[in-house]
Amino acid sequence: MIAVAPDVRSVAERASERIAPTWPLDRFIAVNPLWGWRDERVPSVAARLASWSGTRLLMPRAWYRAAWRSGEIRPCDLRRALARGSSLRSEAQLVALLDTDTPTPCPRARVVDVLDAPPDPTRPQAWRDYVVQDISAFCAAWFDEGQAKVPPARDDGLYRAWWRRAAADRGPALRMGLDAWRALVRDLPDDPGQVLQTGFDALEIPAAEREAYATSLLLDVNGWAAWCAYRRWMARLDGRDDPVILELLAVRLAWEWLLYRSAGPGFPSRWRMAVATWAAADRRATREQADDWVWQAAAEFAYARHLEALLATPVASSPDAPEIHAVFCIDVRSEGLRRALEVQTPRVATLGFAGFFGLPISYTPVGTSVEIPQLPGLLVPRLRAEAEDAVVAVRRTRRLDAHATWAHLRGSAGSGFSFVEAFGPLYAARLLTDALGWTRPSQGTDRAGLTTAERARGRPRLADVPLEARQDLAAALLRGMSLTRGFGRLVLLVGHGSSSTNNPHASGLDCGACCGRSGEVNARLAADLLNDPDVRRGLAQRGLDVPDHTWFLSGLHDTTTDEVTLFDLDVLPLDHASDVQALTGWLTAASATIRAERSARLGLGGMSATALRDAVRARARDWAQVRPEWGLANQAAFLVAPRARTRGLDFGGRVFLHEYLWTGDPDFTTLDQILTAPLVVAQWINLQYYASTVDNLRYGSGNKALHNVVGGRIGVFEGNGGDLRIGLPLQSLHDGERWVHTPLRLHVVVDAPRDAIVRVLDRRETVRHLVENEWIHLSRFADHGGIECFQRGEWTR
Amino acid sequence: MMPAPVLTLAWLALAVPAVYAAGAVTRPRASFDPAAYAARTAAFLGLLTAGGWWVTARGTPVTLPGTVVLDGPACTMLVLVTSLAAAILNFSRTYLSGDPGFARFARWMLVTLASVTTLVLSGHLLVIASAWLLTGACLYRLLTFYPDRPRALVAAHKQFLVGRLGDLLIFAAFLGAGFLVGTFRIDRVGAAFATSPGLADALASLLVLGVCLKTAQVPAHGWLTQVMEAPTPVSALLHAGVVNLGGYVLIRLSPWLETAHTARTVLVAVGTATAVTGALVSVTRPTVKESLAWSTIAQMGFMLVECGLGAWHLALLHIVAHSAYKGHAFLGSGSAVEAWTTRALSPRAPGAGLARWALASAAAFLWVGLAGALWGFDPLRDPTLWAFGTILAVALTPLLVRAAAGGFGAGPALGLAGAATLVLFAWHDLLGRSEPAAATAPEPLARAGIVAIGFAALLVAQALLAAQPRGAIARALAGSLSSGLWLDDTFSRLAFRVWPPPPGAPAAIPALRLLDGREAP
């Protein structure tokens, strides 16, 4: 624990709470990188970030200009944005603004910046870059989770380890010409608390500016700060705390202090002058962006116009008594498949629900002892699931051990030479088979040590959950998806996962609600649970009558190939075989339809159905493929409504669809749940894509061709150093010619009474913040048709 | 008059660089990617040339018109370079699709390959040196593929300094050899030197220093650890006859180097230092590509050690084996996360104390000694076996430590140790014994001693880091290793004093221009 006075502590804590966590690459779920700012209005957050870190949370003016000229943004959208915003400009002035250059953000100067001005041609690197690179290299080694074979010594804390290394580091002297470095470090306290306590005073930071200054220091190493925030997030889920982010702040502050001291007698006065310009930088940032935000809002209202028009068109009629319910994840990639499936037959009705199917589990794959969370990152696993098969378990353990031995020989310092000479030629064959897609360069959790046949055998089951609890889970699950009556013969629960290889960000394409894993396990467990006769009895006691002829079936939607696999057909009752057979046919047809729809965006247009299927399958196995699929790119809206409101409408894969029937939710607890959990998940995805698009340098991870995985799974560097990169790679957002994602804040349309929605806002601060501070646009289906928006506490058309 | 098959072979061989060059000047169109076609054609021609040579010449070296020399090393290298290049360019086509600079990238890849294959096929010293120079110049273009990355510019600048200095030394050695012994022909220069071993040694030492600079030996290795500032396929390409060319040229010139004892001792000393440093640093690196790059540095050191010990065939085997392995490892480096999750599935092997390390290494040395004796190796006749035996025992020690921990891992560990021993013994038997050097003059014990001592030190350091990671020695060692022993920093500082890199420091932020009064508010 770091010992500091309460005032300094609260400054440091407030600064660190601004940093949102980043999940590691093996469970790379989407995070809103600005989550720590949700209690402030978006334009003011953007102004602060512009001033404190030089970021710009808007597209360049040329982008809005293109949208305006092409008619995508219409005058009515601009007027609507003007009416809502606080800009005093006229329409003509705003249009004229588009022809001007996008202003470059002009951030506050820190000590490093003052030292870099004017640039010193004798130094091969600016201090600003050197400091980030040095801290980042240190953090990579200290946080390493298993890339290096020599484990890091973490016993005395991040700051002390940094201090000890810095006191022996010849790098600053040799590379930057700072010969006094080691002596300066030794004069510095080796205790992070003391650095925080005295550093701000030593640098003469005014009390009112300390939080801003501390935040800007953390934003300078935003990637690593986000990793610290992740550690803290996980610790807090566990009821503990991990304040390592404060130590990171101490390291960055120590750098400022050391450079300040090293810079010679004239420096303090220069520094004071720089500090005096901070307020001006803040004002400039606010002034420069205010009008651009009107354009951003106009772009969002342009989409809202389309969406509202679409929702006003007549929908296809929903079947009264569907024989098959198919439940998909709310993920936008389900939208197209659902639409395509419903076109096949009126006998199927589809629903949307969070793809972890309400099971807060951690999962232990067969033959291992790891526990992998398979639930949204906001929640803690409360149940354990495992796959059991004694024979497979032993075989797998053996193979994994043999594999580990091989890796041990390959990776040991002194063994590499003999390894290469003895076994290197084998990799020529491997190069060929990997290139042809017959093998993959690596296997991962679900494949390693298992044959295809064995993979199918280890069937997951819930471990040690009492009957009562299982009955409660099942009831909550059905109520959550508003499927409480009218059961047909089959209910298909479809999870989703992606398939790509040699892709560090692969888990980001998997199910976010399953913590960056495929939804297979959750879907199979949920189906199992709901088929259990004991559970069915409990459901009946809870007022949910599931007829005996209803069978729950699980499946997986592969979002890369758009194929659906069905599971556990070996336990399917015989009298359901024909239903499943029909369903399989419809699913295959639906897959082909949606593949064809998506093919243009993948550059595979104009192929026959079979050729296209083979092409996407090959793509999924191609180790050079940096765009296996487009993931959730271009999502823009979140609909909480029954399918009857939307059946037959083509949302173009841009909408999250959550099933909700308010008439079946008398006390609105389900609505409350949807708006506090799935909505937040969707908002995280939305802002991740938004921020990665508008400022890929700070909130995206750059070029995949340069990615260099850090610490085994922590994240990536772009190239050989610089800050840890968070967010999405450029290749997930841009096809080389244009942005595939349009950065728009999420539109949320709810089908529920006004009061019910407002009550949730009153009760739930988080949702209220998102709405009031314009992180999302909230609207609802008005009582007599059309859509009404919630603005400044009022419902307006 | 040359017989027809030989002439055909010459045309086939020369077609390889020509195809790359033709690909480089052809404009790509939407449906046609000249780079991938050129690379595949060249790979096919390379195989055909090597096969044709084997069938017509029955494994004996032939000199063809245009001083093209086809022999074992040349054909091996030709097949290696062209097939690896085909794999890399095929990969790049998808990997870099959408990158606005792809055509430029493909062009420089192809020019690089044209010059590498020219070098591989040529039997003329000046052609070799020139092609090598061109390879370095192309590499500069590839390293600065993203010219807006300041760190890429610094790395490329470093490579430029080191590489051109190396070229200078190599040109000096080759020109000296050509004028003093009267031939630039690679197959004659060795014999021509037979009468003047002193001169041969002096010129070979120049050459060897140049090779050390061009194969990223410490302390001139820095640029290689920063190559990941360029796209992944560039890192893979280094192993298709760019960074390892030095080893190949030495192999081709082995008759010259047979008697050049100073030069070979330098090779062994620099190579051992690089191999040991590189191996230790690579296991402390927390990022996948840095770890691979340091491992390449170490392996290049090992390649030079084998050359220095006169184990030319083994050195060639090593080039092939390492290129395949490392080319694959770089292209597959995006799988690091999957590899991590796989590792996480099996429980970590329990830690072992120093005592177990000592016992395991004793067992390893004993095993290698006994098995070697049974196999029929005699270190008294061939002192290099002391070096190779030590290297193998050092390699097997971690496996025996793992086996001693018991559990499921013991069986595979022992099995793998046995398999590695068997394969390496077989290689030595096939390739190590056919050395002419071993027959004429045995290697001096001193060179083998340098290697054995270096690798023993590596084993000790490794054991300390693994067995007592919290100990004072391990901490100090890990600290220095994680900074690469500041070798690159020191080297860069000295080098940049002579020739500073282009200014890459970004302009001051606008607010400070206000402060300096250079811009009106």
Side-chain angles (χ1 to χ4, degrees):
Chain A
M1 206 59 199
I2 302 173
V4 275
D7 60 324
V8 177
R9 173 153 215 113
S10 83
V11 163
E13 287 286 5
R14 279 204 304 276
S16 66
E17 294 301 334
R18 294 296 192 191
I19 308 292
T22 180
W23 262 253
L25 293 175
D26 63 321
R27 48 188 80 156
F28 191 65
I29 58 172
V31 183
N32 168 5
L34 307 177
W35 186 239
W37 296 91
R38 64 187 181 278
D39 57 342
E40 284 192 40
R41 290 190 63 243
V42 173
S44 98
V45 170
R48 287 201 198 208
L49 286 170
S51 173
W52 297 1
S53 74
T55 195
R56 183 178 152 87
L57 287 183
L58 288 155
M59 293 301 271
R61 283 178 185 163
W63 187 84
Y64 299 106
R65 185 169 65 221
W68 174 254
R69 298 256 162 89
S70 70
E72 241 168 88
I73 302 178
R74 291 189 191 161
C76 59
D77 306 318
L78 183 59
R79 279 195 291 276
R80 196 169 160 191
L82 256 177
R84 197 180 82 150
S86 51
S87 173
L88 300 172
R89 302 291 179 109
S90 71
E91 226 176 290
Q93 281 172 320
L94 283 169
V95 174
L97 183 77
L98 292 182
D99 287 318
T100 57
D101 288 339
T102 310
T104 319
C106 168
R108 294 174 170 212
R110 284 82 40 90
V111 172
V112 282
D113 303 305
V114 179
L115 274 180
D116 282 335
D120 179 351
T122 62
R123 280 197 300 265
Q125 220 175 353
W127 273 114
R128 202 180 331 154
D129 298 335
Y130 183 82
V131 170
V132 171
Q133 197 179 334
D134 186 80
I135 294 179
S136 184
F138 168 75
C139 284
W142 196 81
F143 285 111
D144 180 41
E145 300 224 332
Q147 172 64 45
K149 302 294 173 289
V150 180
R154 281 199 280 251
D155 42 354
D156 56 356
L158 177 86
Y159 177 84
R160 273 208 184 83
W162 172 81
W163 184 86
R164 191 172 298 151
R165 175 178 160 282
D169 189 9
R170 290 169 231 270
L174 290 167
R175 293 188 41 197
M176 300 300 280
L178 182 55
D179 292 325
W181 171 258
R182 286 189 284 168
L184 284 167
V185 173
R186 269 179 237 126
D187 282 348
L188 205 70
D190 71 347
D191 174 72
Q194 273 183 38
V195 171
L196 290 175
Q197 190 70 53
T198 44
F200 294 111
D201 287 332
L203 292 167
E204 301 178 62
I205 312 291
E209 294 289 358
R210 287 186 178 185
E211 184 185 333
Y213 179 64
T215 311
S216 90
L217 292 183
L218 280 176
L219 288 170
D220 208 26
V221 281
N222 184 46
W224 285 108
W227 178 251
C228 296
Y230 168 74
R231 291 179 46 125
R232 186 169 226 182
W233 183 281
M234 296 315 280
R236 284 179 177 169
L237 281 184
D238 211 16
R240 296 175 291 117
D241 190 24
D242 182 352
V244 68
I245 192 167
L246 303 181
E247 298 202 41
L248 181 70
L249 176 61
V251 169
R252 184 61 187 82
L253 182 63
W255 260 107
E256 291 275 287
W257 193 3
L258 286 163
L259 291 179
Y260 174 87
R261 282 211 217 167
S262 74
F267 189 79
S269 67
R270 264 174 75 76
W271 171 239
R272 276 193 290 274
M273 281 168 67
V275 173
T277 64
W278 283 358
D282 288 359
R283 282 195 301 276
R284 187 172 161 179
T286 312
R287 198 175 61 229
E288 273 177 354
Q289 290 193 345
D291 300 327
D292 296 63
W293 278 104
V294 180
W295 279 110
Q296 176 61 31
E300 286 158 7
F301 288 133
Y303 176 72
R305 177 166 45 78
H306 286 297
L307 184 66
E308 285 162 14
L310 188 61
L311 289 174
T313 52
V315 297
S317 66
S318 300
D320 289 335
E323 290 165 37
I324 300 176
H325 284 100
V327 187
F328 290 81
C329 183
I330 57 170
D331 191 288
V332 296
R333 289 167 289 184
S334 304
E335 188 268 329
L337 187 60
R338 289 177 60 183
R339 177 164 31 93
L341 179 60
E342 286 167 343
V343 169
Q344 304 298 323
T345 166
R347 290 162 61 191
V348 175
T350 70
L351 299 85
F353 187 63
F356 76 117
F357 294 107
L359 300 178
I361 54 164
S362 69
Y363 174 59
T364 303
V366 65
T368 69
S369 53
V370 291
E371 290 184 16
I372 303 170
Q374 299 236 136
L375 75 175
L378 301 157
L379 307 177
V380 204
R382 284 190 291 112
L383 307 171
R384 273 195 57 240
E386 59 195 12
E388 262 196 294
D389 185 314
V391 182
V392 175
V394 171
R395 281 192 211 150
R396 189 182 202 193
T397 314
R398 285 233 164 90
R399 285 189 207 125
L400 287 174
D401 269 319
H403 182 273
T405 310
W406 179 262
H408 188 60
L409 181 69
R410 190 181 55 203
S412 293
S415 310
F417 310 105
S418 299
F419 172 83
V420 160
E421 211 155 83
F423 304 119
L426 297 178
Y427 285 88
R430 193 67 195 277
L431 197 60
L432 191 71
T433 56
D434 280 352
L436 292 172
W438 298 347
T439 53
R440 291 160 183 249
S442 198
Q443 296 278 296
T445 314
D446 297 324
R447 288 197 182 81
L450 290 175
T451 63
T452 316
E454 287 166 353
R455 273 177 67 195
R457 268 180 68 179
R459 190 166 166 185
R461 60 175 193 84
L462 283 173
D464 320 320
V465 184
L467 180 62
E468 179 95 18
R470 279 187 287 143
Q471 292 167 337
D472 287 339
L473 264 180
L477 176 54
L478 291 177
R479 292 219 165 90
M481 55 176 115
S482 297
L483 182 60
T484 50
R485 55 198 180 79
F487 292 94
R489 294 189 43 84
L490 274 181
V491 178
L492 173 65
L493 306 177
V494 191
H496 67 98
S498 72
S499 37
S500 62
T501 185
N502 204 22
N503 176 9
H505 291 88
S507 70
L509 297 170
D510 281 336
C511 180
C514 304
C515 209
R517 300 255 309 143
S518 138
E520 174 186 333
V521 170
N522 295 63
R524 291 173 79 179
L525 285 171
D528 242 12
L529 182 73
L530 291 162
N531 283 331
D532 182 344
D534 295 334
V535 171
R536 291 269 179 104
R537 249 193 322 279
L539 286 176
Q541 288 158 8
R542 286 163 180 76
L544 290 161
D545 275 314
V546 182
D548 289 340
H549 64 74
T550 301
W551 182 256
F552 288 83
L553 186 65
S554 58
L556 186 76
H557 171 202
D558 183 322
T559 51
T560 314
T561 64
D562 271 321
E563 288 171 299
V564 179
T565 317
L566 302 180
F567 299 113
D568 302 324
L569 295 175
D570 51 335
V571 293
L572 181 77
L574 268 181
D575 55 343
H576 283 84
S578 61
D579 302 289
V580 171
Q581 199 177 7
L583 176 65
T584 311
W586 295 324
L587 283 170
T588 312
S591 294
T593 311
I594 189 64
R595 259 199 304 275
E597 186 181 311
R598 291 194 322 148
S599 62
R601 273 211 298 180
L602 294 169
L604 298 172
M607 284 186 178
S608 76
T610 330
L612 182 60
R613 190 198 59 206
D614 294 345
V616 292
R617 281 186 186 164
R619 199 181 179 91
R621 305 184 65 88
D622 184 352
W623 69 332
Q625 186 51 260
V626 286
R627 295 182 182 91
E629 57 161 296
W630 282 110
L632 292 115
N634 230 13
Q635 38 50 42
F638 181 81
L639 260 57
V640 184
R643 182 58 171 166
R645 288 271 194 193
T646 55
R647 185 160 171 140
L649 301 183
D650 180 355
F651 293 101
R654 301 188 69 177
V655 176
F656 298 90
L657 295 172
H658 199 300
E659 189 72 14
Y660 177 64
L661 192 62
W662 69 268
T663 46
D665 183 24
D667 52 358
F668 296 106
T669 46
T670 305
L671 181 67
D672 185 279
Q673 256 168 31
I674 294 173
L675 295 187
T676 47
L679 170 64
V680 171
V681 171
Q683 202 271 335
W684 279 24
I685 293 167
N686 175 258
L687 242 288
Q688 181 192 45
Y689 273 82
Y690 182 102
S692 295
T693 307
V694 293
D695 190 352
N696 197 267
L697 184 67
R698 289 176 185 81
Y699 299 114
S701 54
N703 186 349
K704 277 177 93 70
L706 291 168
H707 277 176
N708 183 7
V709 175
V710 179
R713 63 152 187 170
I714 294 175
V716 294
F717 283 161
E718 194 193 44
N720 83 328
D723 194 12
L724 182 75
R725 299 295 291 268
I726 62 171
L728 297 164
L730 269 177
Q731 278 90 340
S732 302
L733 305 160
H734 198 277
D735 66 2
E737 280 165 20
R738 57 183 195 90
W739 293 104
V740 169
H741 180 66
T742 315
L744 304 174
R745 283 168 286 176
L746 193 69
H747 287 277
V748 180
V749 188
V750 182
D751 187 11
R754 287 180 176 185
D755 307 349
I757 299 172
V758 171
R759 268 205 303 279
V760 175
L761 294 185
D762 288 342
R763 211 165 38 229
R764 304 292 181 181
E765 192 187 40
T766 305
V767 190
R768 190 169 66 243
H769 279 154
L770 290 179
V771 173
E772 284 179 353
N773 295 325
E774 299 170 23
W775 294 96
I776 57 177
H777 301 278
L778 177 65
S779 45
R780 64 178 282 273
F781 289 88
D783 296 334
H784 306 290
I787 300 294
E788 56 185 18
C789 307
F790 189 73
Q791 270 173 33
R792 300 207 188 91
E794 304 266 324
W795 293 98
T796 54
R797 299 289 271 208
Chain B
M1 186 64 198
M2 283 275 170
V6 175
L7 269 179
T8 314
L9 264 186
W11 282 115
L12 269 183
L14 286 174
V16 172
V19 163
Y20 285 131
V25 295
T26 311
R27 275 187 170 281
R29 285 184 298 279
S31 60
F32 174 71
D33 175 13
Y37 285 101
R40 283 180 207 164
T41 314
F44 178 68
L45 289 173
L47 271 176
L48 217 56
T49 309
W53 166 74
W54 186 253
V55 170
T56 55
R58 304 263 161 230
T60 55
V62 285
T63 304
L64 303 167
T67 71
V68 173
V69 173
L70 287 185
D71 55 9
C75 288
T76 310
M77 200 68 182
L78 189 65
V79 172
L80 171 72
V81 171
T82 53
S83 44
L84 207 51
I88 292 169
L89 277 165
N90 198 44
F91 181 93
S92 312
R93 191 158 68 147
T94 312
Y95 194 64
L96 289 173
S97 72
D99 194 307
F102 177 67
R104 179 165 51 94
F105 173 84
R107 190 159 60 240
W108 287 110
M109 292 285 265
L110 290 174
V111 181
T112 313
L113 289 163
S115 47
V116 169
T117 44
T118 304
L119 189 157
V120 166
L121 291 168
S122 177
H124 193 282
L125 291 182
L126 291 185
V127 175
I128 289 180
S130 310
W132 213 346
L133 177 71
L134 183 59
T135 308
C138 296
L139 185 58
Y140 183 87
R141 291 292 174 163
L142 289 171
L143 293 183
T144 55
F145 179 64
Y146 295 118
D148 53 340
R149 301 184 64 79
R151 283 193 301 270
L153 297 184
V154 172
H157 177 73
K158 245 184 260 182
Q159 188 272 335
F160 180 81
L161 282 184
V162 170
R164 292 311 76 76
L165 186 59
D167 287 324
L168 210 64
L169 291 167
I170 289 160
F171 263 107
F174 283 179
L175 283 172
F179 287 120
L180 291 170
V181 303
T183 179
F184 284 108
R185 285 188 52 173
I186 205 165
D187 49 341
R188 303 230 174 113
V189 71
F193 266 124
T195 51
S196 46
L199 192 62
D201 201 5
L203 288 174
S205 299
L206 275 186
L207 170 66
V208 156
L209 285 178
V211 166
C212 287
L213 287 174
K214 295 197 65 131
T215 49
Q217 301 297 291
V218 288
H221 62 281
W223 66 272
L224 189 68
T225 65
Q226 288 147 23
V227 173
M228 44 284 217
E229 288 293 312
T232 312
V234 176
S235 300
L237 178 81
L238 287 183
H239 303 89
V242 177
V243 72
N244 46 15
L245 268 188
Y248 171 70
V249 170
L250 292 180
I251 293 166
R252 295 296 299 275
L253 290 170
S254 57
W256 174 2
L257 287 156
E258 280 307 341
T259 52
H261 284 288
T262 318
R264 284 172 53 192
T265 308
V266 170
L267 272 182
V268 166
V270 173
T272 304
T274 304
V276 171
T277 316
L280 282 173
V281 175
S282 84
V283 295
T284 67
R285 302 288 71 210
T287 71
V288 59
K289 285 184 176 175
E290 256 187 299
S291 177
L292 288 174
W294 273 99
S295 148
T296 291
I297 290 170
Q299 300 278 359
M300 291 300 102
F302 185 69
M303 171 185 78
L304 295 191
V305 166
E306 290 188 319
C307 290
L309 290 176
W312 308 106
H313 290 90
L314 284 175
L316 187 63
L317 166 71
H318 180 265
I319 290 178
V320 174
H322 177 244
S323 294
Y325 168 63
K326 205 54 78 60
H328 177 266
F330 264 110
L331 294 184
S333 64
S335 301
V337 181
E338 282 173 338
W340 184 91
T341 56
T342 307
R343 280 202 300 278
L345 291 181
S346 30
R348 272 193 171 231
L354 270 185
R356 191 179 290 165
W357 272 87
L359 273 177
S361 58
F365 275 94
L366 200 66
W367 157 250
V368 172
L370 280 177
L374 279 176
W375 188 278
F377 288 121
D378 180 3
L380 293 179
R381 268 200 295 159
D382 180 3
T384 60
L385 290 173
W386 292 115
F388 287 117
T390 309
I391 292 169
L392 179 57
V394 170
L396 298 184
T397 303
L399 284 181
L400 298 188
V401 171
R402 191 181 170 85
F408 277 138
L414 289 177
L416 192 56
T421 313
L422 203 69
V423 175
L424 284 172
F425 279 7
W427 284 134
H428 266 263
D429 225 11
L430 283 171
L431 304 171
R433 283 190 179 173
S434 57
E435 310 295 318
T440 52
E443 278 288 305
L445 193 59
R447 279 208 283 270
I450 295 176
V451 180
I453 291 170
F455 274 81
L458 169 57
L459 177 61
V460 172
Q462 188 185 351
L464 278 171
L465 285 173
Q468 299 187 330
R470 302 281 174 270
I473 307 176
R475 266 177 201 264
L477 195 59
S480 308
L481 287 174
S482 69
S483 308
L485 307 176
W486 295 287
L487 288 169
D488 179 42
D489 307 64
T490 313
F491 178 82
S492 302
R493 181 178 215 188
L494 295 174
F496 291 170
R497 270 198 196 147
V498 184
W499 195 341
I509 60 175
L512 291 165
R513 272 189 252 134
L514 278 172
L515 184 65
D516 289 346
R518 277 184 284 147
E519 185 183 281

